[in-house]
Amino acid sequence: MLSRPKPGESEVDLLRFQSQFLKAGAAPAVQLVRGSRRRGDAHPEQLPLRDRRDVVTLHNLPDLPPALVPAPAKRARASPGHPLPEDEDPEERLSRHDQHITAVLSKIIERDTSSVAVTLPVPSGVAFPPVFHRSQERQGKSAASGKRSIFAQEIAARRVTENRIPAAGEVVPSLDPPEGAVPSEPPSSRDKGSQFPGDSHDFHRSNLVTGKGLRSQAAEQEVQTIHEENVARLQAMDPEEILKEQQQLLAQLDPSLVAFLRSHGNALEQAGPKAAKEQSPGSPTVPVTKEEPIMSTSASESRKEDKPEPRAPALKLPMTPHKEWLHMDTVELEKLHWTQDLPPLRRQQTQERMQARFSLQGELLAPDVDLPTHLGLHHHGEEAERAGYSLQELFHLTRSQVSQQRALALHVLSQIIGRAQAGEFGDRLVGSILRLLLDAGFLFLLRFSLDDRVDGVIAAAVRALRALLVAPGDEELLDSAFSWYHGASVFPLMPSQEDKEEEGEEEEPTTEKAKKKTPEEESRPPPDLARHDVIKGLLATNLLPRLRYVLEVTCPGPSVVLDILAVLTRVARHSLESAMRVLECPRLIDTIVQEFLPTSWSPMGVGPTSSLYKVPCAAAMKLLRVLASAGRNIAARLLSSLDFRSRLCRFIAEAPQELALPPEEAEMLSTEALRLWAVVASYGQGGDLYRELYPVLMRALQTLPSELSTHPPRPLSMQRMASLLTLLTQLTLAASSTHPESTSGPAEACVSAIPSSVTWTQVSGLQPLVEPCLKQALKCLPRPDVWTALGPVPSACLLFLSAYYQAWSRQANSCPEDWLQDMERLLDELLLPLLNQPSLGRLWDSLRLCSALCNPLSCAPAPEALPSLVSLGCAGGCPPHSVAGSASPFPFLTALLSLLNTLVRIHRGLCGQLAAVLTTPGLQNYFLQCVAPGPAPQLTPCSAWALRHEYHLQYLVLSLAQKVAPLQPEPAANPALHHALALALLSRLLPGSEHLAQELLLSSVFRLEFLPENASGGPEAADFSDGLSLGNSGDPQYRRGALLVQACQDLPSIRSCYLAHCSPARGSLLTSQALYRGELLQVSSLLLPVPREPLLPTDWPFQPLIHLYHQASDTPSGLPAADSVGIATRVLQWVLLLESWRPEALGAVPPAARLARLMCVFLVDSELFRETPVQRLVAALLVRLCQPQVLPSLNLDCPLPGLTSFPDLYASFLDHFEAVSFGDHLFGALVLLPLQRRFNVTLRLALFGEHVGVLRALGLPLTQLPVPLECYTEPAEDSLALLQLYFRALVTGVLRPHWCPVLYTVVVAHVNSFIFSQDPKSSDEVKAARRSMLQKTWLLADEGLRQHLLHYKLPNSSLPEGFELYSQLPRLRQQYLQTLPTEVLQNGGFKT
């Protein structure tokens, strides 16, 4: 006997056991049998032999699987019960047991069809068989159909139709009978008799029992039998019995079931006459049969309301459908409603808002406009009678499956956006179209449309994207100002309202921001980014790779190419980061340069072209110029890659008329090439091109006078000439630039391409060629129309001369006498005749008309301006009288002042001759308007751009004035006006002008020559004014005049203090200095910082004091006494000087904010306010703050700049007073000032509730109170809580007249007014408190206090008590006291 396997034995042992078992031939211990699936089959022997299965035994199974070779033919093994005979042929056996189809067909017996009626096919009269439509499906099909197909259901329905004759009134879902067919027979007499007496209902068939659940063939007969029995029973009953049974059934059945049965019966009743009518001989040619679905009661009622009345006229179609038409054998009327005439246009009777509708050209259609239908503006949507498409319908069309509809919708939307940005809609629409579209997801709809496969849809999407991003007029404005004074430097077109995460990164250079992204920004979804910045949201959707694919693969038409280039230019203007992403997008710049800036091309004729590929394009050159303006690193990479030097030489070397391009395109291409070179030269790069193209530039420069003499001047030619002069200006500055010193600043600032190889000898000969151009241009000055057509050419000539003399004066090996003599020659030959021309006076007079400061509405934001999508708002062109308008004098006068400043800085002897410019009446009037109090223009992208150029002119005038002032014994100009302008300009300068702010602080703001009041009796006038207002002379040393004289003497110290605390950040200052001084090798970018706000706050005179306060708050040990006293003294001196002689400079600082800044002096430390200079200056400023003309504007309840909460500041002020004041009267005066009756009661509650200890030290006499006492006592106090605190302070002795005389008088006045008040509108609580307070007053033990409260009459600060008293109680008060209880009167000793 074989043993069982034991643990530890391997597979080899198991195989050996198996071979031994097989050799022994023993029977297995277990037999495996397949059991039956049916229950009851207990034993395999009991199964029939036909259910036995063959059991295949595998002998000698190898360990490894067999090789993949064709298997041998299988041979079935005979079953145990059916052994195969060895001598029988298998083929014969198969034939004997064959079950072939022939054996089946031999047993078919044909059905007897002798009694079956033959139905001939119905002629249809059409060429094709009728097509089944889903609407023919019976809506009342049985639930037993399950998931059968429509074809199977139709076959089943036809079988049922063939097996029975349809009854009258039943809807047959079959084809309509042909013409001439005999209609159904009327009901038989048997059916007619099967009607309920007195009713018109037909009971020929049951409405409820259908027999659908029966499977037998006699189901219909069984149903009919049941129906006849029911009818016979009903006929045997009286009507009363029938009604009684009906009521009983209605009471027992569910109401919903009853409603269902009734609706089912109504549906069948309506279907019967309808089908009978359709089959009548008088029916239309193509009858319509439709079976109504079964609905609930509520649904049927609502359907009945929507349907016309039964007697309403039939549907009037413009034509009668015939069944011979294709697919018109079954007419669906609900789908033919659109063929009717439009309903009459409804007139708007109310002022309710209506949905805006637009034409296919984007025009806004009036609600009552009636347009013909052939325009294609009527459709099947809502309000079909109104022409036009709404935004919702256009959005729906953009998701259409028809590409033409998608393209049409995008085209219409782009037209709407263009018209909205042009301001055509005005105030006819509520809200902003662009805001509505962006909120609806239009931005990402365009992005999805760019991924379309249809070229037309892609073209429409690109066009709409350009209409959305590129505001019309923006690029024209920036291009026209390129040759202005620092016109190539622009603000980035990105939102100024950044997220909170980015607000703390203002000090970080923009170049560093461009290299990295915050994790929060990378993880934010594109919709969230687009909500704050549209460009960032688009870049997050991989817009650039898709545009590159469109340009590289699809090769669109010229309009699409220009649209894509315009979009890329707008993206590059967004920021340095966006420009870097455009540059680094794989193959994007390569494709643009190779396809649209080739060095060789086929000649192009005038007219439209079919393709822009392999043709030079000015828009592509402009894109590269905008990219280069973003940073010197980008300019260096463009210049050193793609063989760009040779391409630039290719387009500059030839004149525009020789470029084999259309004339306008050639002029624009040449202009953009010159501008690109000028941008590169502004970084000190591209100097080697100057040597190669020197003959070309000289030849072009020599032709300028002749081109200027042609009339009328061509605008494109003027732009090209101005760009050429701007290029020469940058090359001249490059010849004077020095190499930057090695610094440890940002990497971008240290990156420089090959240093400029332009030398002074190469540019020294340009001046004789430029002066004739300027002379020729100045000849047109008396002719305004021609002068306007010249554009920026005269300005560019003046700016070149300024740069030329600046570079000449920096040459170490040149003789100063040479350039000084040449300046005198230029002054005599050119400038003095120009300054004496009456036409120049006309330009000075037009400054005020074109100023953005004097006309804030000229820079108002566009109606469609969005914070997330920045534009300059120049749709339709700038107005003529604006900074950028055609009649603007700012470009020329700014360039002229720049030249004059350069001449005066180098040659001081010219100051006397050029000082006459400062006395021009037009300039004086313009300055008076600029410093006059008025609303400042709102800081928008358009206003920031315009104000920057206007500030340039103001700064150059002030710079000229401060150079001329020391050399003029009697100033011809108004120095006080210049000083007021300098103060106003300092608080208005925008980011990017840090150098100008620094120069104003150094030279103009604290210049003694700009304070003529010091030498003309100003201090004495101040003393006289104070004597008249205060009525006393006081100590001469403490008077305001002496303080002003001392402040004028300390102006150098004051300037040093403000330079230390108000100077811009060093990095921004160095960048701005390099730009304005012409240090090209240190210029890192022509993109200015984002103009979120001005450089200095409006309260900049208090800035050192605020810094001192914050520094003291952060330093527990306190500040050094010398530093704090010196800073506080200098700030207070300067503020007093401004308050006295330049009050308009502090007009933007509210009096409440000034009071808060003065309170900071006392909060710095415990000793600062005790210093004598500080005491004198604060007292003088407090008097100025409490003047009758200033005091009414003191409002402590409004939000204050730089202060979160004035009550919190006042609470800390009370704490400090209680701790360190020691009864200081000046400190006490500032404590009392916010306690006036008109201010918030919170301030008074803070004193009498939480800081009642202050009353012990608040001993300011009534005679030293800076404001009238009536400001505290009138009107009467109405706060019950405060009045109770008042009374408690009096009763407890906390408030006494010799401790706090001012507040004692105030409290007595208010308590007296309250206890004797008889206001009938008072609440019960107030009345009870008043009566209780009166009783306690009457029972007071302090006779003096009792006398004051009862006999108070009027406040009078001249009396020792501070108020007058009645000698005896007035009669009304006596009568009121008699209302008190008798015991109270007796205890108080009242006598009438």
Side-chain angles (χ1 to χ4, degrees), residues 1172-1185:
T1172 302
V1174 175
Q1175 284 267 336
R1176 296 175 181 176
L1177 292 168
V1178 171
L1181 289 173
L1182 183 60
V1183 170
R1184 300 290 301 172
L1185 197 60

Side-chain angles (χ1 to χ4, degrees), residues 170-194:
E170 184 179 357
V171 180
V172 182
S174 60
L175 300 177
D176 299 319
E179 296 182 4
V182 180
S184 302
E185 296 182 359
S188 60
S189 58
R190 177 177 176 273
D191 296 332
K192 289 183 179 180
S194 303

Side-chain angles (χ1 to χ4, degrees), residues 811-1045:
Q811 303 304 314
N813 54 356
S814 61
C815 179
E817 184 179 356
D818 296 339
W819 73 64
L820 294 178
Q821 292 179 356
D822 194 79
M823 290 178 184
E824 294 175 356
R825 178 197 58 80
L826 178 69
L827 181 66
D828 296 336
E829 295 180 1
L830 192 64
L831 294 182
L832 288 181
L834 173 63
L835 296 178
N836 295 327
Q837 280 195 27
S839 302
L840 187 64
R842 173 177 52 82
L843 295 182
W844 293 114
D845 294 337
S846 60
L847 281 175
R848 189 170 53 175
L849 297 176
C850 301
S851 168
L853 280 174
C854 303
N855 306 284
L857 295 180
S858 63
C859 293
E864 293 293 336
L866 296 177
S868 60
L869 187 59
V870 177
S871 65
L872 298 181
C874 302
C878 295
H881 293 288
S882 62
V883 174
S886 58
S888 174
F890 282 95
F892 178 75
L893 294 181
T894 304
L896 177 62
L897 289 170
S898 174
L899 176 60
L900 297 181
N901 270 278
T902 302
L903 297 179
V904 171
R905 184 176 63 252
I906 300 173
H907 194 337
R908 293 287 182 176
L910 304 180
C911 293
Q913 296 174 287
L914 298 179
V917 175
L918 303 175
T919 61
T920 306
L923 185 63
Q924 298 287 327
N925 296 333
Y926 166 66
F927 284 171
L928 288 173
Q929 186 74 17
C930 290
V931 299
Q938 183 182 359
L939 193 58
T940 62
C942 179
S943 65
W945 181 90
L947 290 174
R948 176 174 176 266
H949 290 285
E950 189 168 350
Y951 294 158
H952 284 162
L953 182 139
Q954 295 180 7
Y955 168 76
L956 292 173
V957 172
L958 293 175
S959 178
L960 181 62
Q962 66 91 11
K963 292 183 180 68
V964 171
L967 304 178
Q968 291 289 99
E970 294 183 0
N974 188 355
L977 180 60
H978 294 159
H979 189 237
L981 181 66
L983 293 172
L985 180 61
L986 183 61
S987 62
R988 293 171 178 171
L989 286 175
L990 300 174
S993 303
E994 290 83 2
H995 171 67
L996 305 185
Q998 184 79 357
E999 289 297 320
L1000 287 176
L1001 289 174
L1002 283 171
S1003 58
S1004 300
V1005 174
F1006 302 101
R1007 179 172 288 275
L1008 186 60
E1009 291 83 2
F1010 283 178
L1011 292 171
E1013 294 86 353
N1014 183 46
S1016 59
E1020 292 79 4
D1023 291 340
F1024 182 73
S1025 175
D1026 292 346
L1028 291 177
S1029 60
L1030 299 179
N1032 56 356
S1033 58
D1035 189 352
Q1037 295 182 358
Y1038 295 168
R1039 293 177 185 176
R1040 186 159 55 101
L1043 297 177
L1044 292 174
V1045 171

Side-chain angles (χ1 to χ4, degrees), residues 1099-1215:
D1099 61 342
W1100 67 268
F1102 297 93
Q1103 281 298 106
L1105 191 59
I1106 296 175
H1107 292 169
L1108 190 65
Y1109 167 72
H1110 288 300
Q1111 188 177 359
S1113 302
D1114 299 337
T1115 307
S1117 60
L1119 296 177
D1123 294 344
S1124 59
V1125 173
I1127 294 174
T1129 303
R1130 303 304 172 227
V1131 172
L1132 294 174
Q1133 283 179 323
W1134 179 244
V1135 173
L1136 179 62
L1137 192 147
L1138 295 180
E1139 285 275 10
S1140 302
W1141 294 339
R1142 302 289 181 266
E1144 65 278 357
L1146 296 176
V1149 185
R1154 299 181 222 171
L1155 175 62
R1157 273 57 174 175
L1158 288 181
M1159 293 168 67
C1160 292
V1161 177
F1162 296 83
L1163 295 174
V1164 170
D1165 58 22
S1166 60
E1167 299 295 334
L1168 177 61
F1169 67 92
R1170 301 183 189 278
E1171 299 292 335
T1172 302
V1174 175
Q1175 284 267 336
R1176 296 175 181 176
L1177 292 168
V1178 171
L1181 289 173
L1182 183 60
V1183 170
R1184 300 290 301 172
L1185 197 60
C1186 296
Q1187 288 180 335
Q1189 62 269 23
V1190 180
L1191 194 60
S1193 59
L1194 182 63
N1195 185 10
L1196 302 180
D1197 298 333
C1198 64
L1200 301 179
L1203 193 64
T1204 56
S1205 173
F1206 185 83
D1208 294 343
L1209 176 65
Y1210 187 69
S1212 62
F1213 195 69
L1214 291 176
D1215 289 335

Side-chain angles (χ1 to χ4, degrees), residues 239-260:
E240 292 78 5
E241 295 178 358
I242 295 177
L243 293 176
K244 184 178 180 180
E245 292 293 335
Q246 183 182 14
Q247 296 294 335
Q248 185 177 0
L249 287 175
L250 291 177
Q252 295 176 354
L253 295 178
D254 187 9
S256 60
L257 179 60
V258 175
F260 167 73

